[in-house]
Amino acid sequence: MTRAAKALVVVLPAAFIAIFFAWPVANVISTGLADRGWNALVDLFGSRRERGVIWFTIWQAAVSTLVTMVVALPAASLVAAMRERHRRLVRALVTVPFVLPTVVVGGAFAGLFQRFGLDSGRLRLDQTVWAILLAHLFFNYAVVVRTVGSYWAGLDSRLEEQARILGANRWRTFVEITLPRLRPAIAAAAAIVFLFSFTSFGVILILGGPRRATIETDIYRFAVTRGDLQTAASLAALQLVAVLALVGLSTALERRRPITTRHARRASNPIKRAWLWGNLAVTTLILGTPIAVLIERSLSVGDGYSLRNYGALAHRVRQLPAPAMVALQNSLVFAVVATAIAVLIGGLASLVVVHGRRAVGRVFDLGLTLPLGTSAVTIGFGILITLDNPPLDLRTSWWIIPIAHALVGVPFVVRTMVPVLRGIDESIREAAAVLGATPARVRREVDLPIGSRGLVVGAGFAFAVSIGEFGATSFLPRRPDTITAPVAMFRLLSTPGDRLRGQAMALAVVLMAVVAVAVAVIESVRGTSEGGM
Amino acid sequence: MLSIQGVTIGFDGQVAVDNVSFDVGDGDIVVLLGPSGCGKSTLLRAIAGLQPLDSGRILRGGVDICGRAPHERGIGMMFQDHALFPHRDVGRNVEFGLRMKGMGAEQRHDRVLAMLQLVGLAGFERRTVGNLSGGEAQRVALARALAPEPDLLLLDEPLGSLDRELRDRLVAELPDVLHRVGISAIHVTHDHDEAFAMADEIVVMGEGRVLQKGQPMDVWRRPASETVARFLGHRNIIEAGGHRAVVLPDAATVVDPGDGRSIDYVVIATRFRGGSREVEVERVDTGQRLVFLLAGAPPIGDRVALVIDPDGISPIE
Ligand SMILES: Nc1ncnc2c1ncn2[C@@H]1O[C@H](COP(=O)(O)OP(=O)(O)OP(=O)(O)O)[C@@H](O)[C@H]1O
Ligand SMILES: [Mg+2]
């Protein structure tokens, strides 16, 4: 590689993150702290309402995490013990909810409550914290099953066999041999679930109702509804500090992962039947019911069923600047562009993380994970108040949407690429060199083919994330040519009346189908035993 | 061909390879023998250019090659842990070095088949690497290293996890293949049978240093130290006149009890070893125990009169 090319590999991702993430976010913080410095944060705690919001944000995230871990761990164990073919299938199925647009998840649960009469009366779940916890469980189930399950599957099962031979029963073996080795994966998964629940937006907005506010929804409320940028910025700054601490903690935990997957060999340990079916039943109930009801609701018109809601997507309603179908098209175009950007930036950045100088790699690793944890709302808000001066007046530009989406997609690309690249055993590169491959050739023959699989997986996630992105987009321009499907769906959902609701459900089903295709691509390309997402 | 001069390599202050020197002649197979952890792999990696030297030189045709990158050295290497490319099937693993040389597709195909045939894996071309057994993976690695026919081949325990039969076959065939093409090789092993069967020259290492080098027979018959003797599998290490010496296992002959030079022994154990019978005997007067390869295989408990050839006794330090 020439020196110019080498420099570009570092500069391009660095510039992208600096301009579209670091600068806007820094601007949010400095706006938040401009008048009163850190006292602005202290002031937040002075307000009784905000104290409540902060407390609620934390405890709902903690409970969501706990519930998700407890409910999903058995499924992770199942996935780990499955044969590869089945593992892929299960992993693909649980991933659909994870990449579903949050508004779709919100919509699905709203539909579920409506269907079973839980939206009013004594057993009301809608607009309660239970609704939020359920939706977070639904949404994050995949995080646990995927990260812990894949890691688990990669563990060398000869250790367990050895323990059994030495006289430990199943449970002792699990507690003394398996669990300690799983700890890094469990910690990483828990950190991610907590982070997602902490900064959850669409779900809380739709299911929590106006009285259940979190920091995230309050940022939106102050910035957009009330026009109080100062308070919004203080809240965003507070959230960012918390997120930074969390991300730092989770990457530190991840770095301590032992490298145990190299000589992993799994024994074909038959799974107990009751365990298998029990687990599948729970998983199907948790993940399948909302989706099934969503589909049912989308087809239900009056007392019967028809495709009328789908047909209605082609027509413009008063609440939207364009027909829902157009919003869907916009979303697809944005997703393609955002994915391309995310793959380029994320791919280059992963190379830097893995092969660059140590210190630079670390900075990149952290810097590129931050957008994953930073609330989308903060990003959208930051871009809104920062990139509004020439030459970078992007606020009303079409491009700002795919760029914002790419920003959220880049961490996924990096997160999938880095473990794949790291997983390439150095001795394989050495073997190629000894067989006569130049360093450039080694990159092309070893790193590229192995890494490209990670890249496709990352691209799949970036695509799905862009299709469903709601938080950041909700700040950005809403013209007929920029309205996205999730934004349209939210508008339809928040308008009272059954007719628009049905249409929203239909739109959700279409979005879900698109996302399912992305997941199918991810799973068919994804290798057998890599850890990570 | 290759001259290793005073090579020293350390890891965090620990010396792994300590002032090692030896030469590899054109077309020779040098066998590097030594206990686990004595620095054999590290030395091979240094020769291949994967490990920088702390001091010393490595010359090829009189030219120092230490500054050259691995791919510029034209030295092949088979890794101890195989290092197969996980994303390529067996055939495309073996083919890799040929492609790097720019060989045409048809020729490559033929060569891959021939190499797989050689290592007993005919028909394995399209198998994925992940599911191979240990021995199969090892043979793929061997085929991959052999395929490009480098001038010098470094083999790090290439036959370690093969069954006896396959190992014996390759021990017999490998030198032929190497000699036919004129490949020089450094072959690392723990196994002395394998070493003596293949070596043109033997280098015995211990704790990072060269303990002894020379022709296989010389090294076997005249071990330089007790460590070397024990490592080569000598068991008859005796004290005689304040000196220590090795008695070779083929030094004794059974004679009639009346023979004046003979000493009386009692047979206390017999064992089959590599097709011949090893007999452990105890000297009647001193109780000294020795192990010999004896014709006729006397039964346990018998008295035998043995004459020991003085040529078969070799003093050590
Ligand atoms: N990368 C490294 N970092 C630190 N120490 C190392 C490294 N590689 C080797 N060593 C140490 O150097 C010494 C020699 O190792 P080496 O692998 O060369 O031994 P070996 O003779 O090949 O052993 P074996 O027969 O078991 O393969 C060992 O003590 C080993 O622990
Ligand atoms: Mg070794």
Side-chain angles (χ1 to χ4, degrees), chain B residues 11 16 35-42 80 157 190:
Chain B
F11 295 109
S36 188
C38 73
K40 306 181 295 291
S41 297
T42 307
Q80 191 170 7
E157 301 190 27
H190 292 281

Side-chain angles (χ1 to χ4, degrees), chain A residues 262-263 265 424-439 441-442 444-447 449-450 453, chain B residues 45 48 50 70-71 75-77 79 81 83-88 93 96-97 99-100 131-134 144-145 148:
Chain A
R262 243 181 78 192
H263 298 291
R265 274 221 169 174
I424 301 176
D425 201 325
E426 187 56 32
S427 71
I428 290 169
R429 294 199 188 93
E430 293 178 352
V434 168
L435 287 165
T438 60
R441 196 91 197 255
V442 173
R444 206 162 71 232
E445 300 272 357
V446 175
D447 295 67
I450 297 181
R453 282 218 316 247
Chain B
R45 290 170 54 79
L50 302 170
H71 66 277
I75 295 177
M77 176 160 176
F79 289 72
D81 59 0
L84 297 179
F85 302 127
H87 58 302
R88 301 173 169 274
N93 260 278
F96 188 88
R99 276 189 34 239
M100 295 303 115
N131 305 324
L132 298 176
S133 78
R144 186 179 69 177

Side-chain angles (χ1 to χ4, degrees), chain A residues 243-284:
Chain A
V243 163
L244 244 127
L246 268 170
V247 170
L249 190 72
S250 87
T251 42
L253 286 174
E254 198 162 324
R255 197 162 287 122
R256 266 198 278 150
R257 274 186 182 192
I259 305 160
T260 47
T261 48
R262 243 181 78 192
H263 298 291
R265 274 221 169 174
R266 272 241 129 227
S268 43
N269 217 345
I271 305 167
K272 286 244 174 79
R273 284 215 130 169
W275 180 245
L276 173 71
W277 291 112
N279 246 311
L280 286 182
V282 171
T283 307
T284 312

